[in-house]
Amino acid sequence: MSRFSRCPMALGLCLSLCIGPRTAQAEEAVEPVRQQLLNDLVANGRPGAAFKHAFEAGDALTEFNFAAEQGVGANIGEGRRFTRFPRADLKGPGEWARHFPEREGGANATRCISCHSSPIANGAGGVAMNVVLDPNHTGDPKLYLERNTTPLFALGIPQRLAEEMTLELYRQRDDARFAACEAGASTVKLTAKGVSFGTLSVTRTTATPCVVDIETSGLTGIDADLVVRPFGWKGNHATLRSFTRAAAHNELGLQGTELVGGADGDFDGVTAELSVGDMTALTIYMAALERPVRMTELHDLGLLTLPETQARAIAAGEDRFAAIGCASCHTPQMTLNDPVFREPSLVPGYFDARFPDGSDPTGHGLRRDTPVSFDMRVDQPNNLVMLDTGKAYHLGALEVDSEGCGVAHWFTDFKRHDMGAALSDPSDPMGIGAAMFLTRSLAGVGSTGPWLHDGRATTLNEAILAHGGEAAQTRDGYVALPDEARAELVAFLENLIIYQADATH
Ligand code: HEC
Ligand code: HEC
């Protein structure tokens, strides 16, 4: 990819990736990010500086090879610091089963990008990086969950889309409540960004003051609180921050202060392993990473030459994708009304009213009136490419439509679906439903194999064939296609790639 270069340093937009991945040494100290500093920068009219600081620090943190003295790993028991397999059997004082919050798995790595590594740093992971979980501490391997590593690119996009969908759903619930107060009862069909989430039935139980009963059993693919949870294979986390807190604890054995306060949750002798500012930095970094792209897009920009036959197959595959029903779950396109990502978010359900340790986030400087923020249409530091025409093009940013609105090609409806018995988890410790999975985003899917929640699919064709349950009919439609048409559909998926302008892959 020598036909273009990343943004010139002089623009001041090119952050640490221009310098190249840092090979962090264990002894190299990582200074905790101070949330109060980020807060002060925003409060003093320097939001860009706060964003830049958070992004760079998040970059360093995801790459950093933590050492024991910094608290990586955990007191597993048997003298061990790491384990690939949950050890609910180790129940002695301070051992695996005694850690708090309760471990789901691990600790099993010393850096985030040990797993998030394929095809490039911050990407997905091979099956060797699968994570094994036992959230209910059964100690029974037959019940363990297995999870394949997902990519971390542009995760501000799914969070913002989820936030806007939830706001739409809140509004519909409020309207239904109002209508029930007026008329006694009201049923509303919930939809957000064109996606249907079933029905809510509201019944008035007391007239003055109006008290209502809300019946949520008609909801589909979403929790009763109407919070769209866009992260995790199960769709069990609403925010990057909450996922990151859990990942740091379970995978790396690093308990953030916001998780456990000053306590030593994994009995490794180290406390305050990640600061509130560190969590903000990690969140901002993953939110602002470059978005996955399409090969056809690179072709149009002159960054790649796509053979004519392949371009035709991709276009035909896109039509098939819609025609046989893939697009009914893997929604190809959604528009964002407000493309500004904020940490903390302003949307109820997407910020911590209290941290898990019980403390007030504002006491740590994490305030909703001074969030670290960036405009997803322009501010991402990576993949600002120079075209042959001499023009700079911001490939890393969110695409926009003719009105300047952010347009996301995330290929999910952000709903959970029953995927059938064959794909089902062996147990349901989270109470979500063993066969229920969030429609997996297909952004970058051409670069992220192996596929599916446990990495069982070694090809995209296998991934499609494994669809069952609510997707069974669509899968049958795929099976019924002639060979050539199936190949076109796969070509369409292979068009969706992860791309770093100065990396070759
Ligand atoms: C041992 C491997 C491993 C390590 C280390 C690891 N992750 Fe992950 N990561 C995973 C797996 C597996 C998943 C999918 C988990 C799931 O859905 O339950 C995941 C998912 C995620 C997601 C959700 C993405 C999405 O779109 O749903 C985020 C965010 C994330 N990781 C951040 C991090 C951060 C930050 C670190 C370092 C603090 C980290 N991970 C370390 C394996 C790892
Ligand atoms: C009923 C909703 C639904 C329909 C219809 C559907 N999918 Fe999926 N898809 C999902 C869910 C949920 C997952 C995650 C399942 C899992 O990992 O167990 C998924 C996963 C995938 C994956 C793997 C993604 C990854 O990163 O591992 C691919 C590829 C995929 N779907 C393609 C398709 C194609 C092509 C079609 C049409 C033939 C289709 N899907 C139809 C819901 C659906």
Side-chain angles (χ1 to χ4, degrees), residues 59 73 187 445 466:
D59 186 7
T187 295
V445 78

Side-chain angles (χ1 to χ4, degrees), residues 62 84 108-109 111-112 115-116 129 131 133 147-152 155 230-234 240 243-244 247-248 251-252 282 286 440:
T62 51
R84 296 287 298 157
N108 50 22
R111 59 207 304 218
C112 302
C115 295
H116 294 279
M129 286 84 173
V131 159
L133 305 174
R147 294 285 178 258
N148 189 235
T149 302
T150 53
L152 303 179
L155 296 184
F231 299 116
W233 287 99
K234 286 294 213 194
L240 276 170
F243 204 107
T244 299
E251 315 312 345
L252 302 189
L282 283 164
M286 292 182 284
R440 188 65 216 153

Side-chain angles (χ1 to χ4, degrees), residues 116 127 132 153 189 231 235 274 278 314-315 356-357 359 375 399 419 425 431 451:
H116 294 279
V127 277
V132 182
F153 291 97
K189 285 195 175 130
F231 299 116
L274 287 172
D278 288 340
I314 291 166
D357 81 329
S359 65
D375 187 330
E399 292 170 88
M419 297 302 284
D425 276 329
W451 294 273

Side-chain angles (χ1 to χ4, degrees), residues 249-303:
H249 172 46
N250 287 300
E251 315 312 345
L252 302 189
L254 296 174
Q255 292 77 46
T257 47
E258 62 193 65
L259 194 67
V260 292
D264 181 9
D266 59 356
F267 303 92
D268 62 0
V270 184
T271 55
E273 294 171 343
L274 287 172
S275 70
V276 170
D278 288 340
M279 292 297 180
T280 303
L282 283 164
T283 297
I284 289 291
Y285 178 64
M286 292 182 284
L289 276 173
E290 62 272 28
R291 70 172 167 83
V293 301
R294 299 176 296 280
M295 284 195 283
T296 42
E297 189 184 4
L298 301 182
H299 175 85
D300 293 346
L301 291 168
L303 301 175

Side-chain angles (χ1 to χ4, degrees), residues 233 321 324-326 328-330 417 419 423 437-442 445 448 451-453 460 463-464 467 470-471 474 478 489 493:
W233 287 99
F321 186 81
I324 67 171
C326 309
S328 69
C329 293
H330 297 284
H417 295 277
M419 297 302 284
L423 266 187
F437 290 94
L438 180 72
T439 301
R440 188 65 216 153
S441 162
L442 301 181
V445 78
T448 60
W451 294 273
L452 297 176
H453 66 268
L460 286 162
I464 302 168
H467 281 55
E470 290 177 50
T474 301
Y478 173 78
L489 214 152
L493 297 176

Side-chain angles (χ1 to χ4, degrees), residues 330-348:
H330 297 284
T331 313
Q333 180 170 322
M334 285 185 185
T335 305
L336 266 173
N337 302 323
D338 174 4
V340 177
F341 182 91
R342 297 176 183 83
E343 181 56 27
S345 164
L346 304 180
V347 179

